[in-house]
Amino acid sequence: LDATSLLKLLPRGAYTTCRTIGRGTAVYQFEYHVERLAASSLSMIEEGGVLPEGSTALDPGVYDAVTNVDKVRAETLSCIKKAVAEFRRRYSDRMFPCDEFRITLLQTWLPGDADEEKKTNVDGDGDGAAARANMYCHVGILPKRRDGEHIKVEVHGHGRKNAAAKDSQWINERENSAAGCEEYILVNDSGEMLEGTQTNFFLVTNGGCVLTADDGILKGSVRDSVLRVCTENGIPLQLRAPTVADLENASGAFLSSTSRLVLPIHEVVVNVSEGDVAGNPPNPATYHFPNCQVTKGIQELVLEDVKTHCVSLE
């Protein structure tokens, strides 16, 4: 059972996906993911009204367990350690020494089926029988990319309703990428390019400036790394959503995510529907970015940054 299928089965909640480095011995940007779980839970409860059926408020103890960063941190680290240890126990004969783990965490305060936490590769703390804090952890081998892979994205679809929270309901709402397409790049009412369904999106201008949205998106942990290495290395950066018109004067584009880190985009297909924007959609077009040196440099810098921002599992 993969992480996406599991999230669809379990109760709605705040989720995040992180990765290991050092052959599964440390979690990259661990604190970032802890803060995301706590902040997403708070937003879903206070702004989204995500509560057990018939309830107007959560039990104070449950509320504290899912929104207090210190408590979320302790529960998250404990759950990851147990799940990784269990994965190694079950599947060590199928692993290579260089394998890294992709770890998906779900924190929920809604009643659910306790049997779900017994699924393959899942560790759960909690009985799932009542409105209480439950943490679930799915562990899998991080997929490996093929060398020389041509990466195509399509500008299509509207951005998420609540970008401040990583809500597991988004798994059910988002549209799967088309065949042969790595990602959909979502737009807002004005036609600005925001993010992918599972990634953050960046455009590099002909002048070498990196453009990326700062509002209306879920800010990923690797995006945080990209912004850091750009700032530290003097790479021009503008926190504004690139437009389709910006593609005319771009030299490159890339995605960032837990599994991809920085992934150069070679082809951008504009295919915005009428319902995606307020007004007339931009004309269909295709843009090619065969070899962007700015993207390549950022990719290498992020690989180094990953090594210095992690928490040990040992």
Side-chain angles (χ1 to χ4, degrees):
L1 188 69
D2 63 28
T4 298
S5 299
L6 179 69
L7 289 173
K8 291 179 179 180
L9 290 173
L10 290 171
R12 183 179 177 183
Y15 82 102
T16 192
T17 300
C18 53
R19 62 170 291 157
T20 63
I21 63 170
R23 300 180 179 179
T25 61
V27 177
Y28 170 59
Q29 291 274 56
F30 173 76
E31 193 64 25
Y32 191 99
H33 292 283
V34 168
E35 292 175 1
R36 169 184 277 175
L37 286 172
S40 293
S41 299
L42 182 65
S43 177
M44 290 171 64
I45 295 166
E46 297 292 346
E47 299 173 27
V50 180
L51 297 167
E53 187 175 356
S55 301
T56 57
L58 274 184
D59 175 87
V62 175
Y63 182 88
D64 193 45
V66 298
T67 61
N68 182 293
V69 172
D70 290 336
K71 292 186 177 180
V72 174
R73 181 187 299 109
E75 186 68 12
T76 301
L77 187 58
S78 172
C79 201
I80 290 175
K81 285 183 175 181
K82 287 194 289 184
V84 168
E86 180 62 16
F87 187 95
R88 289 186 188 278
R89 186 186 70 80
R90 294 188 190 186
Y91 305 111
S92 59
D93 60 330
R94 306 181 197 177
M95 294 176 61
F96 294 98
C98 60
D99 280 340
E100 298 290 357
F101 297 123
R102 180 176 180 174
I103 299 169
T104 301
L105 295 147
L106 172 70
Q107 176 172 265
T108 183
W109 48 95
L110 302 178
D113 184 354
D115 290 337
E116 292 301 341
E117 68 185 45
K118 297 176 184 176
K119 297 284 187 181
T120 302
N121 303 348
V122 181
D123 185 63
D125 288 340
D127 56 20
R132 53 161 293 162
N134 287 324
M135 180 76 75
Y136 298 92
C137 180
H138 179 281
V139 175
I141 298 296
L142 192 69
K144 296 178 176 62
R145 310 292 313 197
R146 298 192 306 271
D147 291 337
E149 188 175 357
H150 181 83
I151 304 300
K152 179 175 76 173
V153 302
E154 185 173 322
V155 182
H156 175 81
H158 196 275
R160 60 180 89 216
K161 297 172 185 176
N162 181 8
K166 191 152 188 179
D167 183 345
S168 61
Q169 185 169 306
W170 172 247
I171 297 292
N172 295 311
E173 294 177 350
R174 75 189 185 199
E175 191 172 7
N176 291 327
S177 298
C181 183
E182 178 76 18
E183 258 282 41
Y184 281 134
I185 306 302
L186 309 176
V187 298
N188 59 16
D189 288 342
S190 301
E192 295 172 323
M193 297 180 287
L194 300 176
E195 61 181 345
T197 62
Q198 305 174 64
T199 62
N200 288 119
F201 174 72
F202 301 80
L203 194 69
V204 183
T205 69
N206 282 333
C209 182
V210 177
L211 308 178
T212 190
D214 198 42
D215 297 311
I217 65 168
L218 186 69
K219 299 174 182 178
S221 58
V222 183
R223 175 187 181 273
D224 185 61
S225 179
V226 171
L227 301 189
R228 182 166 50 249
V229 301
C230 284
T231 300
E232 292 176 352
N233 291 276
I235 299 171
L237 174 69
Q238 287 187 27
L239 297 180
R240 72 163 179 87
T243 65
V244 170
D246 286 322
L247 288 166
E248 295 281 356
N249 300 300
S251 61
F254 61 92
L255 303 171
S256 72
S257 75
T258 296
S259 59
R260 299 166 181 86
L261 291 182
V262 170
L263 183 66
I265 295 170
H266 304 109
E267 182 179 354
V268 177
V269 177
V270 178
N271 182 27
V272 180
S273 304
E274 288 187 7
D276 295 338
V277 296
N280 295 324
N283 293 326
T286 300
Y287 299 87
H288 297 276
F289 306 112
N291 185 26
C292 178
Q293 292 303 306
V294 173
T295 298
K296 183 178 179 181
I298 292 171
Q299 188 177 33
E300 293 171 353
L301 289 168
V302 168
L303 283 172
E304 290 302 312
D305 184 76
V306 164
K307 300 174 184 177
T308 60
H309 292 78
C310 59
V311 168
S312 175
L313 292 176
E314 296 182 331

